[in-house]
């Protein structure tokens, strides 16, 4: 094919592979393509889309000819789309000099992208646009062709060792030509510079034909990273996006609206204003999306940590550092930190309270631990010991303070609303506590908070210190305070750039958060006690299983109460894991926040006394009032999460209670009519017998007196006084309708037939045995409890 023909089919080919932007055309469905399920297509797709494969060769060949392809602005992430539609250019340099306004017959705004950008735009956005396609349940995201390709592209264009491989189709000058360089190359600034400086310069984007090959590799690396970050992380609400904009961008928006208002007397400006602020993108990231972002975070840490040590001489550093090394120095703070923080905040606030949050949690913890991806090798003797966080990571922790503190508070609020008896939820609490309990980490976070809370009076000295040279620093003692001040200034810049100048910081080690941790510790103790109760209940149920279990009734059904829990099905092993996770999590929380052991012991003893004399849990937390007990917020939480409950029992006439699953409905109705007839016929005689003071009277009172005298019913705590209805002495034959009773009688008759005892003789023996049992129980019951008449 000629280049002109390849140029014509390139958009169709990209759409055929990655699917259409509206999601109608699925394409190759790389997200569901796996080696186990698709052994033929899987390797072919990976080879075709490999960085050195046929597809990328086509991209580089078209790139050399300066072709451009239109990408609709309407399919960009919501905040970017709204900003461009308002004719306000986003801060990201990826969009600069690319917006194409429609002609008179055009349908909308477009971006004019080169082949490499066009290919990567489609590849990155297919993770978002194709998320509603049919996905089979056995697909593992980490084994899909899409996941493998993301990893391959990151390793190729953001290498941890060596440099980026040059494109196969490069001209003799060593670089791919571009139509118009957007700006001259400028060296990277240091970490912590405000993002407004990025609007005025870019790092060797699409250099000219005679550009240095090192600059060319930086262009591809930065373009790839910016596309991934913009497509995967830039989806928060428009209000948050505008809050993060620099002041001059807000000023441009204001000038634009004022100019429109003066031209059209306010009406178009009003519609423009509504279009800008009324738009809110409904963004719901999937678990696969989060896993891909975690892969990006892990690789960027490895990429940044592969930076070579700085030379001792600043002049030598300025001459010898390659653009790739400079890119490694600023890749996380400049390109990722801001958008990842808002992305995590969105997930923490909107993700369902279930075990799927584990993906978000692990992505967050991966970002918090850059030392895990450092090339350092520990001695074998130290591998089993807890790894202490080195002091060299103090700057990263301080300049990412909100990632540690505010998101930790967000996790606490989530943990307080989840069921910690669930092993998966307990594991998440354990993971967070284990990470923050790493030696020296809590101290460095506390140091970062102290720097942020440093008084504002020393800020003017910081601005002078930024421009001081080594010759103006004076002695060691005179230069030490300005160094502390600079660190404080960086922490404040980080916090205010992400949250705004009016942000009220909540200290992680302050009183308010400490109270949340104590509340979580209390819930952990309650969850441990609940898990132990479930374990004991499961053990008792297993031990008491009998032949009658296949009739699907249990003793809990006999008394009309429900004591089960959704966690009865998780098994003893999972309950044991839950207890281990919660125990270690509590230990780690004590290490992090220096919790008082005496207070924790008292809390655990209080949770340990949550069982009454029958081994059942106490009522939910309530307060006394004139109308009885009223649930507290803690009591509502205990009921919602199954930590405590009211015993639900039938409290009316036992003869009129609903027919149970273990009873025969026909027999219940027939025996009720027979009992009613007998009670109506012999009511006076039974009253007379129960009124006697001799042995006969005691025997009749034991078997014929009111049910409320022989049943211990726990009424609802709402009503303190309840008028008990006296039904009088009566006969109840309903027990004969129970399947258990019927099967027991049949077994007795069957066993008696082995000894040649007929039905009549067996019935006589049963009556004699019951009479002896009644006599014995009468003697004992008279001593146990008084009877009322």
């Amino acid at each position: 094919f000629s280049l002109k023909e390849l140029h014509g089919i390139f958009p169709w080919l990209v759409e055929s592979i990655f699917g259409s932007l509206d999601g109608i055309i699925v394409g190759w469905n790389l997200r569901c393509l796996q080696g186990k399920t698709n052994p033929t297509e899987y390797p072919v797709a990976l080879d075709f889309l490999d960085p050195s494969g046929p597809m990328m060769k086509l991209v580089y060949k078209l790139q050399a000819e300066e072709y451009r392809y239109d990408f609709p602005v309407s399919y960009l992430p919501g905040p970017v789309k709204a900003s461009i539609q308002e004719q306000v250019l986003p801060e990201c340099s990826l969009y600069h000099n690319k917006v194409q306004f429609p002609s008179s017959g055009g349908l909308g705004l477009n971006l004019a992208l080169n082949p490499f950008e066009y290919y990567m735009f489609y590849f990155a956005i297919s993770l978002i646009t194709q998320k509603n396609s049919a996905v089979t349940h056995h697909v593992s995201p980490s084994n899909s062709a899409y996941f493998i390709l993301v990893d391959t592209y990151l390793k190729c264009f953001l290498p941890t060792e060596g440099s980026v491989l040059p494109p196969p189709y490069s001209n003799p000058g060593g670089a791919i030509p571009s139509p118009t360089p957007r700006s001259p190359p400028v060296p990277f600034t240091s970490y912590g510079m405000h993002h407004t400086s990025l609007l005025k310069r870019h790092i060797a984007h699409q250099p000219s034909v005679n550009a240095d090959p090192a600059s060319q590799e930086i262009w591809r690396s930065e373009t790839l990273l910016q596309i991934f970050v913009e497509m995967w992380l830039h989806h928060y609400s428009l209000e948050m996006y505008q809050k993060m904009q620099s002041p001059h961008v807000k000023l441009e928006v204001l000038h634009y609206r004022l100019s429109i208002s003066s031209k059209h007397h306010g009406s178009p400006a009003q519609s423009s204003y509504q279009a800008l602020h009324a738009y809110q993108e409904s963004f719901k990231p999937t678990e696969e999306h989060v896993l891909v972002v975690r892969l990006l975070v892990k690789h960027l840490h490895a990429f940044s940590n592969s930076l070579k040590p700085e030379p001792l001489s600043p002049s030598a550093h300025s001459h010898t550092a390659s653009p790739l090394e400079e890119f490694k120095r600023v890749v996380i703070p400049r390109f990722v930190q801001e958008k990842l923080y808002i992305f995590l905040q969105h997930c923490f606030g909107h993700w369902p309270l279930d075990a799927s949050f584990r993906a978000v949690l692990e992505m967050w913890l991966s970002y918090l631990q850059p030392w895990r991806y450092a090339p350092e090798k520990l001695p074998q003797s130290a591998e089993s010991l807890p790894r202490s966080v080195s002091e060299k990571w103090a700057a990263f922790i301080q300049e990412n303070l909100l990632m540690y503190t505010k998101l930790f508070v967000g996790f606490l609020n989530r943990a307080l609303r989840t069921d910690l008896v669930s092993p998966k939820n307990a594991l998440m609490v354990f993971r967070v506590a284990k990470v923050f309990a790493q030696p020296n980490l809590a101290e460095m976070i506390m140091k970062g908070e102290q720097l942020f809370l440093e008084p504002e009076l020393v800020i003017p000295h910081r601005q002078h210190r930024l421009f001081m040279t080594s010759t103006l620093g004076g002695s060691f003692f005179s230069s030490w305070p300005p160094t502390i001040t600079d660190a404080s200034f960086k922490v404040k810049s980080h916090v205010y750039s992400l949250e705004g100048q009016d942000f009220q910081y909540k200290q992680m080690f302050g009183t308010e958060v400490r109270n949340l941790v104590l509340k979580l510790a209390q819930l952990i103790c309650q969850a441990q006690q609940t898990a132990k109760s479930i374990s004991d209940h499961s053990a008792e149920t297993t031990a008491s299983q009998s032949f009658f279990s296949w009739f699907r009734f249990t003793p809990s059904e006999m008394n009309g109460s429900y004591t089960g829990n959704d966690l009865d099905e998780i098994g003893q092993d999972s309950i044991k894991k839950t207890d281990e996770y919660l125990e270690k999590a509590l230990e780690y929380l004590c290490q992090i926040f220096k919790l008082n052991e005496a207070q924790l012991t008292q809390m655990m003893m209080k949770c340990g006394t949550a069982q009454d004399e029958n081994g059942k849990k106490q009522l939910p937390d309530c307060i006394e009032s004139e109308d009885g007990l009223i649930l507290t917020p803690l009591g509502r939480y205990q009921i919602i999460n199954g930590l405590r409950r009211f015993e639900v029992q039938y409290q009316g006439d036992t003869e009129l209670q609903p027919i149970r699953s273990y009873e025969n409905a026909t027999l219940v109705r027939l025996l009720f009519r027979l009992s009613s007839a007998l009670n109506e016929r012999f009511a006076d005689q039974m009253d007379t017998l129960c009124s006697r003071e001799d042995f006969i009277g005691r025997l009749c009172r034991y078997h014929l007196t009111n049910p409320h005298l022989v049943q211990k019913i726990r009424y609802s705590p709402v009503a303190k006084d309840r008028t008990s209805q006296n039904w009088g002495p009566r006969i109840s034959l309903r027990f004969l309708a129970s399947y258990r009773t019927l099967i027991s009688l049949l077994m007795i008759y069957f066993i008696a037939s082995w000894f040649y005892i007929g039905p009549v003789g067996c019935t006589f023996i049963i009556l004699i045995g019951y009479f002896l049992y009644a006599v014995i129980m009468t003697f004992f019951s008279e001593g146990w409890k008084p009877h009322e008449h």
Side-chain angles (χ1 to χ4, degrees):
F1 293 97
S2 64
L3 281 178
K4 188 173 183 180
E5 291 174 329
L6 293 175
H7 167 64
I9 67 172
F10 181 70
W12 168 84
L13 181 59
V14 171
E15 189 174 87
S16 300
I17 296 174
F18 301 121
S20 59
L21 296 175
D22 54 12
I24 297 177
I25 300 176
V26 179
W28 290 5
N29 202 8
L30 298 174
R31 295 168 52 251
C32 300
L33 196 63
Q34 294 198 351
K36 293 182 179 180
T37 57
N38 309 94
T40 304
E41 298 87 347
Y42 179 78
V44 173
L46 292 182
D47 291 340
F48 185 76
L49 300 176
D50 189 79
S52 59
M55 189 64 187
M56 290 303 296
K57 290 180 179 178
L58 172 61
V59 169
Y60 292 133
K61 182 180 290 189
L62 295 174
Q63 182 85 12
E65 297 299 324
E66 305 182 14
Y67 286 117
R68 289 293 178 267
Y69 302 91
D70 289 341
F71 188 93
V73 171
S74 58
Y75 290 103
L76 291 175
V80 179
K81 177 176 65 175
S83 179
I84 293 178
Q85 289 174 346
E86 277 289 309
Q87 301 184 12
V88 178
L89 194 64
E91 290 190 348
C92 179
S93 59
L94 185 66
Y95 306 106
H96 290 194
N97 297 332
K98 290 191 174 76
V99 180
Q100 301 292 325
F101 293 95
S103 57
S104 57
L107 297 178
L109 296 171
N110 292 301
L111 295 179
L113 305 178
N114 63 46
F116 183 83
E117 294 169 335
Y118 187 80
Y119 174 84
M120 287 301 173
F121 259 82
Y122 262 87
F123 174 76
I125 207 169
S126 63
L127 180 66
I128 310 298
T129 57
Q130 302 294 328
K131 65 182 179 181
N132 294 326
S133 60
V135 179
T136 53
H137 293 287
H138 63 273
V139 171
S140 175
S142 59
N143 295 327
S144 67
Y146 188 88
F147 195 89
I148 299 300
L149 283 172
V150 171
D151 186 48
T152 304
Y153 289 154
L154 289 174
K155 290 178 179 177
C156 176
F157 297 105
L158 300 172
T160 57
E161 296 180 359
S163 59
V164 183
L165 294 177
Y169 290 94
S170 59
N171 56 19
I176 297 173
S178 65
T180 305
R182 282 173 288 188
S183 63
V186 179
F188 284 87
T189 56
S190 61
Y191 186 99
M193 294 296 290
H194 199 273
H195 283 226
T196 53
S197 62
L198 294 178
L199 294 175
K200 300 180 181 178
R201 44 71 86 231
H202 312 295
I203 309 160
H205 277 291
Q206 294 184 332
S208 61
V209 178
N210 297 322
D212 182 25
S215 299
Q216 176 65 27
E217 71 176 4
I218 290 301
W219 168 76
R220 288 189 294 158
S221 301
E222 185 184 352
T223 299
L224 175 84
L225 178 60
Q226 284 185 326
I227 291 174
F228 283 179
V229 170
E230 287 294 310
M231 296 301 108
W232 295 342
L233 300 181
H234 202 166
H235 289 269
Y236 36 82
S237 67
L238 190 60
E239 292 180 359
M240 185 62 67
Y241 173 76
Q242 293 210 331
K243 186 180 76 171
M244 293 167 53
Q245 294 297 306
S246 57
H248 85 277
V249 173
K250 293 181 179 179
L251 189 61
E252 289 182 13
V253 175
L254 179 60
H255 284 313
Y256 168 73
R257 289 175 182 157
L258 291 176
S259 63
I260 296 295
S261 177
S262 61
K263 288 182 181 180
H264 302 279
H265 307 286
S267 56
Q270 180 64 22
S271 61
S272 172
Y273 179 86
Q274 292 174 350
L276 185 65
H277 286 273
Y279 178 82
Q280 291 291 336
E281 185 180 26
S282 177
F283 178 55
K284 298 177 182 178
T286 61
E287 188 173 352
E288 180 186 11
H289 182 175
V290 174
L291 291 175
V292 172
V293 173
R294 187 192 180 206
L295 176 64
L296 173 65
V297 169
K298 292 167 64 176
H299 184 83
L300 288 179
H301 274 317
F303 177 70
S304 179
N305 291 334
S306 65
L307 178 68
K308 297 177 182 178
E310 294 185 7
L312 297 178
S313 172
S315 60
H317 169 71
S318 61
H319 290 292
T320 60
S322 67
L324 185 62
E325 292 297 307
E326 293 289 350
F327 185 57
K328 291 178 181 180
R329 193 184 312 279
V330 298
V331 61
I332 291 180
R334 176 171 295 167
F335 297 99
V336 179
Q337 182 196 60
E338 186 178 60
K339 293 183 175 64
L340 180 63
Y341 171 71
I342 306 299
F343 179 80
L344 283 170
Q345 268 201 321
H346 178 86
C347 291
F348 272 58
H350 296 82
W351 202 277
L353 291 172
D354 56 20
S356 65
F357 185 72
R358 175 77 187 278
V360 179
L361 187 79
E362 294 298 336
M363 185 251 290
W364 171 49
L365 296 180
S366 295
Y367 183 83
L368 298 186
Q369 303 176 88
W371 46 87
R372 289 185 56 192
Y373 312 100
E376 301 174 355
K377 297 293 183 181
L378 294 177
Q380 295 182 354
S381 59
E383 289 181 356
S384 59
L385 301 176
R387 183 178 179 182
S388 177
V389 181
S390 174
E391 284 293 336
K392 75 175 187 177
W393 300 107
F396 178 87
I397 294 172
Q398 293 166 8
E399 294 164 7
N400 290 272
L401 186 64
L402 291 178
M403 287 283 194
Y404 291 89
T405 59
K406 187 175 181 180
L407 292 183
F408 179 82
V409 176
F411 174 76
L412 282 181
N413 292 325
R414 286 185 62 93
L416 292 173
R417 292 179 290 160
T418 55
D419 182 9
L420 298 183
V421 185
S422 170
K424 295 180 179 179
N425 292 335
L427 175 60
M428 287 191 283
V429 176
F430 164 75
R431 287 283 296 122
V432 173
K434 182 180 180 180
V435 168
F436 278 85
Q438 294 178 84
N440 202 32
L441 178 58
E443 288 76 7
M444 286 193 285
I445 296 175
M446 192 179 303
K447 175 64 176 177
E449 291 192 321
Q450 292 173 357
L451 290 173
F452 175 75
L453 298 174
E454 184 179 301
E456 297 286 344
L457 297 176
V458 294
I459 287 183
H461 298 286
R462 297 185 195 129
Q463 298 176 353
H464 296 290
R465 179 72 176 88
L466 290 174
F467 300 99
M468 286 177 62
T469 62
S470 57
T471 58
L472 299 178
S475 65
F476 171 80
F477 295 98
S478 62
S479 62
W480 176 251
T483 304
I484 299 293
T485 305
D486 282 349
S488 176
F489 180 65
K490 288 183 179 180
V491 176
K492 292 177 184 291
S493 300
H494 154 70
V495 173
Y496 291 140
S497 65
L498 292 181
E499 292 290 346
Q501 295 291 333
D502 299 330
F503 176 62
Q504 299 295 325
Y505 183 75
K506 184 184 297 184
Q507 296 185 57
M508 178 175 169
F509 296 96
T511 304
E512 186 176 352
V513 176
R514 186 180 179 86
N515 291 334
L516 290 178
V517 174
L518 288 174
K519 187 179 296 185
L520 177 62
Q522 182 179 4
L523 292 179
I524 289 176
C525 294
Q526 293 177 354
Q528 286 180 300
Q529 188 64 39
T530 303
K532 183 178 182 299
S533 301
I534 295 174
S535 179
D536 296 341
H537 173 72
S538 301
E540 293 174 0
T541 303
T542 303
S544 62
Q545 284 181 345
S546 64
F547 171 78
F548 304 102
S549 61
W550 65 280
F551 285 101
R552 301 181 67 182
F553 60 86
T554 61
S556 64
E557 293 173 326
M558 300 291 289
N559 59 20
S561 64
Y562 172 75
T563 59
N565 190 288
D566 295 338
L567 298 165
D568 291 337
E569 302 176 359
I570 64 179
Q572 293 292 327
D573 293 340
S574 297
I575 295 176
K576 184 178 180 181
K577 288 183 179 179
T578 298
D579 188 64
E580 292 176 356
Y581 291 146
L582 294 178
E583 184 178 357
K584 294 298 293 183
L586 192 59
E587 178 183 340
Y588 289 138
L589 289 175
C590 292
Q591 295 177 11
I592 299 169
F593 292 92
K594 307 295 188 296
L595 298 182
N596 189 351
E597 294 184 2
Q599 188 177 11
L600 284 178
T601 304
Q602 182 181 3
M603 186 186 304
M604 296 180 70
M605 292 179 60
K606 181 180 179 181
C607 295
T609 58
Q611 294 186 344
D612 57 20
E613 68 276 5
N614 296 324
K616 298 179 181 179
K617 296 185 292 292
Q618 287 183 342
L619 294 176
D621 191 63
C622 304
I623 57 175
E624 290 280 353
S625 68
E626 296 180 355
D627 299 326
L629 299 177
I630 298 178
L631 279 174
T632 63
L634 176 60
R636 297 189 189 95
Y637 170 85
Q638 292 168 342
I639 292 178
I640 292 173
N641 291 278
L643 301 178
R644 295 185 185 180
R645 63 173 59 85
F646 295 109
E647 293 184 16
V648 181
Q649 293 181 336
Y650 181 79
Q651 300 177 0
D653 187 352
T654 55
E655 290 296 300
L656 300 178
Q657 64 180 318
I659 297 174
R660 308 295 182 180
S661 60
Y662 52 82
E663 293 178 326
N664 184 282
T666 303
L667 284 179
V668 169
R669 295 185 179 95
L670 291 177
L671 292 173
F672 174 74
R673 293 176 183 175
L674 178 59
S675 301
S676 299
L678 293 175
N679 290 329
E680 186 177 355
R681 174 68 178 81
F682 300 104
D684 295 337
Q685 289 85 337
M686 288 189 291
D687 256 341
T688 302
L689 289 173
C690 290
S691 300
R692 295 174 57 170
E693 296 296 335
D694 54 4
F695 175 77
I696 300 296
R698 295 200 302 273
L699 182 66
C700 292
R701 284 195 298 272
Y702 180 80
H703 295 283
L704 302 176
T705 48
N706 277 331
H708 74 277
L709 294 177
V710 296
Q711 285 186 330
K712 296 181 179 180
I713 298 178
R714 178 182 290 181
Y715 292 105
S716 170
V718 175
K720 302 169 78 172
D721 300 324
R722 182 182 292 270
T723 303
S724 299
Q725 182 177 355
N726 191 335
W727 287 287
R730 58 182 178 175
I731 297 173
S732 177
L733 301 176
R734 181 166 177 168
F735 72 96
L736 294 174
S738 170
Y739 289 123
R740 172 175 288 184
T741 304
L742 294 175
I743 295 297
S744 301
L745 290 176
L746 288 176
M747 290 185 64
I748 292 175
Y749 282 117
F750 179 72
I751 295 174
S753 66
W754 290 358
F755 299 96
Y756 303 101
I757 301 176
V760 178
C762 184
T763 303
F764 180 75
I765 293 174
I766 292 174
L767 293 177
I768 292 296
Y770 178 76
F771 178 76
L772 294 176
Y773 168 79
V775 170
I776 295 173
M777 292 303 297
T778 299
F779 279 115
F780 283 100
S781 62
E782 285 294 320
W784 289 344
K785 62 178 182 180
H787 287 279
E788 300 177 5
H789 305 292

